[in-house]
Amino acid sequence: MSSLKITKKHHRRFNNPFPSAPKSLPFVQGTLFSESLTLTTHQSQIFPIGKDFQLTWQSRNGGFLSVSHRLQPNKFLWSTIPGQAFVSAALAETEIQESRGSFVVKDREVRLVCDHQTVEDIRVIDHLDSLLDATGPDVPSGCAGFDQNDVKKSEFPLLIISGRIFSKKKKRPQDSSLSKNMTLARDFTCARYWVFFDQKSSNQVGFQVRLGKPNFGLSETISPVGLRRRRVMRLKLGQLRKKKLGWCWFFPRQRNYVAVSSAEDEIVGMKPQESTEFNRICLTYSSEKSEKFYGFGEQFSHMNFKGRRVPIFVQEQGIGRGDQPITFAANLVSHRAGGDWSTTYAPSPFYMTSKMRSLYLEGYNYSIFDLTRPDRVQIQIHDNSIQGSLVHGNSPTELLEHFTGTIGRPPVLPEWITSGAVVGMQGGTDMVRHVWDELRAYDVPISAFWLQDWVGQRETFIGSQLWWNWEVDSTRYWGWQQLIKDLDAQHIRVMTYCNPCLAPTDENPNRRKNMFEEAKRLGILVRDKNGEPYMVPNTAFDVGMLDLTHPDTESWFKQILQDMVDDGIRGWMADFGEGLPVDAKLYSGEDPIVAHNRYPELWAKINRQFADEWKSKHEEGEDPEDALVFFMRAGFRDSPKWGMLFWEGDQMVSWQVNDGIKSSVVGLLSGGLSGYAFNHSDIGGYCAVTLPLIRYQRSEELLLRWMEVNAFTTVFRTHEGNKPSGNSQFYSNHKTFSHFARFAKIYSAWKFYRIQLIKEAAQKGLPVCRHLFLHYPEDDNVHKLTYQQFLVGTEILVVPVLDKGKNNVKAYFPVGESCPWQHIWSGKLYTNQGSEAWVESPIGQPAVFVKAGSLVGETFLKNLRDLNIF
């Protein structure tokens, strides 16, 4: 990324509590021209893409392209806008502001925009040799611009579309009274482009867009196709001027110059150097006003993104994310720490729509999906090329299955992690044994104790925090191995915590190793511009971050995991992964801005490889269910392939929409539509705040309601939060213990179905918890739902209480279901499709429904009776 400015905001004491939205490249619009007599004179032409897909060129209305499956030629997977450029590019200066894991990307000055486009040739390539041997402007130097490994995997024939993108340098009118008029300029800038389509599989079409270097200060020349094309283009131009479309080519008889609308002046700045390459590329294509867009990874505020600009960049989700007053306070004390609706740990450049269209990008560059226009989409990439795929499918489940079939799916989880509650607590050996005794008294089914403070704790200004030195604190957890053995004898596993960062531990009195110094000595830490270990500000202290591109890092960290497992540990939280500094120096030498989005996948990969290697060594003579599990929060597009289990990070201990209990449901469902099949949140939320005028503490009611939600997610796990003493805990009193026991049993009552769904997820990529869109896409009311309700598989409907003081909820029963929905507490049947009903939901009896008469429903109800829940 050239012309880059990086601004560090880590240590600013007072900041703007209401930061403005970052400036970015405006929506780029330009004109499309056909430079081919063949394309101009034929109304419609069809070109094959592999054996299953086709591209159609229509010359009417200025010309447009569409891609479709041959068996469904009228259902477009992708189409351009008639008469409008679909490839454009720009050169811009970029500023990235960074503060403790939060990032904002801004465009400081846009120096050049090439927004107009010609289509000169559409070439069919029947075999690899013809592509490699091809020369001339129709291909980028004999396929040199394309990934030849991908080409070899493609199914022929392939397509290459070629032409030019161009722009004129604008001159401002000297008289302000001319601001509404058109001004003229002779010089223009142009560059060649190539668009490559190939069939990747029976359900995907790959695409690549490559740009040549821009040519500056040239004069336009008419190609020798003849006057006939000139007349056609002049006719088009007249029509476009009437529609006031802005910049457009103008070809008079003798002289060649451009007509420029002064309304566009703010886009173009000074002329760049001739050696400069584009660092923005845009792909623009059609959409429908009523089209709904789902996906984009784990998003916490919205399900449908039509009308929004969605940035794809891994980072801290923020504290509040727009909920007040906490976002105000967080932004005030730390630059942009509050985040906003778009900030997330695990974004993905993928979507599917209500019109059964789907697209994803490959690579890791920063990108923005601009969905603000009703009739079009524009993807802006901070690079000079684009690569991705169009996904074909006739239902959301098909689209998701085809997408995850490419990026990868999670493995089947061992049953122990989903058999009962994962008890997240802290305090040391004595505290664990005391709480364990009480849990047995309440007959709570337990899968594991998750002890994140196994490494010891220290107090900081944000609360109790861990020593990031991955070894047991033998003072806090005396008799560590005996504790693990005692729990294992009752089929209860122990889980711990780690992350890819290391803190200096000179002040830790209980350490045996100094892993920070060891990693520093081995040279496996990320480095700063001076070649020294990059001390990354993170929450309340600075840490070194492992360089996951270094060949020695993997074996070194796997030994840490091996030492944990040798003690009897069977699972861990693999935290963080979202904070790689964008000015770091990596062993691989790769661009750290691109590596930033890749880092969480590398982090997941190391953990997954270790888990798989350990399993392969212990398959014979060991309990097959004694497998390892790790869970993480940071991710990108391919993380579902490497991660085993995800959790949603640090929600506020609140009822609020953007960063409280409601957002945990939205994140669960949006992530599920993006391939994150196994996900859950901390019961009760994590982030508590105790400021003089702003207090967020976990109430008992919030804790109980959060238990009710999470009893219907993949994993039922508690967390004490960052300020345990001020939060209500499951062990606080008889009421919380009883409620925890009740919903741990309800969770275990549908274990039989959970096992089925976990296997289905591993085979098809479908999530355990599902937005109703996945199965009822034709129901318009379903598209209005966000956090209000969700499906568990196809057989259970959950309508949780997510508001303080409420004891009833409004349930919606979708159109397209043949079976009535049965309320599990009253037995009442709801038979009217497309109807709403108010349902009583006192604490302890959330609104849950099963399909009447179904095997899953009947088995679930029987298990609840056997567990004395009724």
Side-chain angles (χ1 to χ4, degrees), residues 582-637:
V582 292
D583 60 343
K585 302 295 183 182
L586 300 172
Y587 179 88
S588 64
E590 63 191 280
D591 183 349
I593 300 174
V594 178
H596 175 90
N597 279 341
R598 192 165 76 96
Y599 192 91
E601 292 184 4
L602 296 175
W603 172 227
K605 186 176 180 180
I606 285 180
N607 286 271
R608 175 66 180 280
Q609 286 178 338
F610 176 79
D612 289 348
E613 290 164 3
W614 188 89
K615 182 178 180 180
S616 66
K617 295 176 183 178
H618 295 78
E619 285 181 343
E620 296 183 6
E622 298 280 345
D623 181 357
E625 280 304 311
D626 196 33
L628 305 179
V629 176
F630 66 93
F631 59 103
M632 57 192 310
R633 72 180 186 184
F636 200 67
R637 178 196 54 247

Side-chain angles (χ1 to χ4, degrees), residues 540-551:
F541 48 88
D542 295 350
V543 296
M545 179 177 285
L546 291 174
D547 185 345
L548 301 184
T549 72
H550 196 292

Side-chain angles (χ1 to χ4, degrees), residues 681-698:
S681 63
D682 298 329
I683 292 175
Y686 170 81
C687 190
V689 175
T690 53
L691 297 175
L693 298 177
I694 301 175
R695 298 181 70 83
Y696 283 78
Q697 292 180 304
R698 183 194 294 162

Side-chain angles (χ1 to χ4, degrees), residues 721-771:
N722 65 318
K723 295 182 179 292
S725 61
N727 287 333
S728 180
Q729 307 289 352
F730 74 88
Y731 52 76
S732 292
N733 53 51
H734 172 71
K735 183 177 181 180
T736 56
F737 256 127
S738 297
H739 198 78
F740 183 59
R742 176 179 175 82
F743 280 89
K745 291 175 182 177
I746 291 174
Y747 171 77
S748 66
W750 63 279
K751 175 186 173 181
F752 72 98
Y753 188 41
R754 190 160 52 248
I755 291 172
Q756 295 177 33
L757 296 176
I758 286 171
K759 291 179 180 178
E760 183 181 45
Q763 294 168 359
K764 298 183 177 182
L766 300 182
V768 172
C769 299
R770 305 173 185 180
H771 192 275

Side-chain angles (χ1 to χ4, degrees), residues 63-351:
F64 69 96
L65 300 167
S66 61
V67 175
S68 59
H69 196 281
R70 289 189 179 185
L71 298 180
Q72 297 174 290
N74 296 322
K75 176 181 179 281
F76 298 158
L77 304 181
W78 179 86
S79 62
T80 65
I81 302 156
Q84 298 285 291
F86 56 91
V87 175
S88 51
L91 196 155
E93 294 183 352
T94 304
E95 179 181 1
I96 301 180
Q97 295 179 352
E98 178 180 352
S99 177
R100 300 181 185 275
S102 296
F103 300 82
V104 62
V105 182
K106 298 182 176 181
D107 284 325
R108 302 174 61 211
E109 181 180 5
V110 181
R111 294 177 174 270
L112 170 69
V113 175
C114 285
D115 54 348
H116 303 297
Q117 178 185 2
T118 67
V119 175
E120 298 175 5
D121 184 65
I122 301 178
R123 175 178 293 196
V124 178
I125 305 295
D126 292 316
H127 50 82
L128 180 62
D129 291 341
S130 64
L131 179 61
L132 297 176
D133 295 339
T135 58
D138 298 333
V139 292
S141 302
C143 195
F146 298 116
D147 189 329
Q148 296 188 33
N149 290 325
D150 284 348
V151 170
K152 292 175 182 178
K153 298 175 185 177
S154 301
E155 187 165 332
F156 286 88
L158 320 174
L159 279 187
I160 294 182
I161 303 170
S162 59
R164 293 175 300 163
I165 56 172
F166 54 88
S167 179
K168 287 282 186 171
K169 184 178 70 175
K170 301 179 180 61
K171 295 180 179 179
R172 293 182 179 274
Q174 295 180 355
D175 186 347
S176 61
S177 65
L178 300 177
S179 61
K180 295 183 179 180
N181 298 328
M182 306 294 284
T183 62
L184 301 179
R186 289 179 178 273
D187 295 334
F188 75 100
T189 301
C190 71
R192 296 206 64 83
Y193 75 86
W194 300 268
V195 181
F196 177 91
F197 286 105
D198 65 323
Q199 179 172 340
K200 295 292 188 184
S201 68
S202 61
N203 52 62
Q204 290 189 36
V205 175
F207 65 87
Q208 298 183 51
V209 184
R210 295 286 187 268
L211 299 177
K213 290 186 177 182
N215 294 312
F216 301 99
L218 302 178
S219 295
E220 202 279 332
T221 60
I222 299 293
S223 57
V225 174
L227 295 177
R228 179 179 179 181
R229 192 183 63 205
R230 184 187 298 187
R231 287 195 296 269
V232 172
M233 296 178 73
R234 289 180 67 184
L235 178 61
K236 288 173 55 178
L237 201 58
Q239 295 171 345
L240 290 170
R241 278 199 293 266
K242 291 178 181 179
K243 297 179 181 179
K244 298 181 179 180
L245 291 177
W247 304 352
C248 51
W249 280 93
F250 186 96
F251 295 109
R253 186 178 303 274
Q254 299 294 329
R255 301 173 62 188
N256 302 312
Y257 48 82
V258 105
V260 177
S261 166
S262 62
E264 301 282 345
D265 281 349
E266 72 277 8
I267 294 181
V268 176
M270 65 183 184
K271 182 178 177 181
Q273 298 296 320
E274 292 188 13
S275 61
T276 305
E277 294 188 0
F278 293 109
N279 59 6
R280 302 286 189 282
I281 184 169
C282 303
L283 186 66
T284 308
Y285 49 97
S286 66
S287 175
E288 298 179 35
K289 184 176 181 180
S290 62
E291 193 167 14
K292 311 299 191 297
F293 285 74
Y294 297 95
F296 298 111
E298 188 181 64
Q299 299 285 337
F300 295 98
S301 294
H302 303 285
M303 291 300 304
N304 171 26
F305 290 89
K306 185 72 168 183
R308 302 183 182 278
R309 286 172 61 92
V310 186
I312 306 297
F313 201 68
V314 175
Q315 61 177 307
E316 285 273 358
Q317 71 157 14
I319 304 173
R321 305 181 69 257
D323 292 336
Q324 299 298 354
I326 183 57
T327 305
F328 172 94
N331 284 335
L332 183 65
V333 300
S334 183
H335 183 72
R336 288 187 179 268
D340 60 36
W341 67 264
S342 69
T343 48
T344 173
Y345 306 107
S348 178
F350 161 81
Y351 67 76

Side-chain angles (χ1 to χ4, degrees), residues 423-436:
V423 180
M425 60 168 297
Q426 303 174 90
T429 299
D430 293 336
M431 183 65 174
V432 171
R433 289 189 178 276
H434 170 70
V435 171
W436 183 22

Side-chain angles (χ1 to χ4, degrees), residues 230-518:
R230 184 187 298 187
R231 287 195 296 269
V232 172
M233 296 178 73
R234 289 180 67 184
L235 178 61
K236 288 173 55 178
L237 201 58
Q239 295 171 345
L240 290 170
R241 278 199 293 266
K242 291 178 181 179
K243 297 179 181 179
K244 298 181 179 180
L245 291 177
W247 304 352
C248 51
W249 280 93
F250 186 96
F251 295 109
R253 186 178 303 274
Q254 299 294 329
R255 301 173 62 188
N256 302 312
Y257 48 82
V258 105
V260 177
S261 166
S262 62
E264 301 282 345
D265 281 349
E266 72 277 8
I267 294 181
V268 176
M270 65 183 184
K271 182 178 177 181
Q273 298 296 320
E274 292 188 13
S275 61
T276 305
E277 294 188 0
F278 293 109
N279 59 6
R280 302 286 189 282
I281 184 169
C282 303
L283 186 66
T284 308
Y285 49 97
S286 66
S287 175
E288 298 179 35
K289 184 176 181 180
S290 62
E291 193 167 14
K292 311 299 191 297
F293 285 74
Y294 297 95
F296 298 111
E298 188 181 64
Q299 299 285 337
F300 295 98
S301 294
H302 303 285
M303 291 300 304
N304 171 26
F305 290 89
K306 185 72 168 183
R308 302 183 182 278
R309 286 172 61 92
V310 186
I312 306 297
F313 201 68
V314 175
Q315 61 177 307
E316 285 273 358
Q317 71 157 14
I319 304 173
R321 305 181 69 257
D323 292 336
Q324 299 298 354
I326 183 57
T327 305
F328 172 94
N331 284 335
L332 183 65
V333 300
S334 183
H335 183 72
R336 288 187 179 268
D340 60 36
W341 67 264
S342 69
T343 48
T344 173
Y345 306 107
S348 178
F350 161 81
Y351 67 76
M352 66 172 79
T353 83
S354 57
K355 302 298 181 181
M356 300 306 117
R357 300 185 182 107
S358 182
L359 176 149
Y360 65 91
L361 299 180
E362 299 179 23
Y364 298 90
N365 292 88
Y366 177 73
S367 61
I368 296 174
F369 287 76
D370 193 328
L371 311 175
T372 57
R373 306 299 174 92
D375 65 338
R376 64 195 67 189
V377 175
Q378 185 166 100
I379 304 175
Q380 299 180 355
I381 307 286
H382 281 219
D383 199 7
N384 60 3
S385 65
I386 300 178
Q387 186 168 354
S389 288
L390 310 173
V391 184
H392 168 65
N394 293 312
S395 68
T397 54
E398 278 190 10
L399 292 173
L400 188 54
E401 183 176 353
H402 296 161
F403 170 60
T404 59
T406 300
I407 66 163
R409 299 168 181 145
V412 173
L413 296 174
E415 286 189 25
W416 68 259
I417 188 68
T418 61
S419 296
V422 176
V423 180
M425 60 168 297
Q426 303 174 90
T429 299
D430 293 336
M431 183 65 174
V432 171
R433 289 189 178 276
H434 170 70
V435 171
W436 183 22
D437 288 341
E438 294 202 70
L439 289 169
R440 281 185 286 191
Y442 283 90
D443 193 26
V444 178
I446 304 172
S447 287
F449 274 85
W450 172 56
L451 309 175
Q452 71 163 8
D453 68 333
W454 73 295
V455 292
Q457 282 188 330
R458 54 176 162 171
E459 292 300 317
T460 69
F461 69 87
I462 68 169
S464 299
Q465 292 191 275
L466 308 179
W467 281 108
W468 290 6
N469 189 60
W470 314 123
E471 62 177 0
V472 66
D473 183 330
S474 55
T475 299
R476 188 177 187 86
Y477 281 96
W478 60 269
W480 174 243
Q481 292 185 355
Q482 188 60 49
L483 174 65
I484 295 171
K485 289 178 181 178
D486 291 346
L487 289 166
D488 184 64
Q490 299 300 316
H491 308 289
I492 300 172
R493 274 69 173 185
V494 174
M495 306 178 74
T496 55
Y497 172 99
C498 64
N499 68 53
C501 301
L502 298 165
T505 56
D506 297 336
E507 298 177 2
N508 182 359
N510 297 325
R511 68 171 172 85
R512 298 186 303 279
K513 298 180 179 178
N514 190 329
M515 294 183 180
F516 171 81
E517 289 297 331
E518 185 177 331

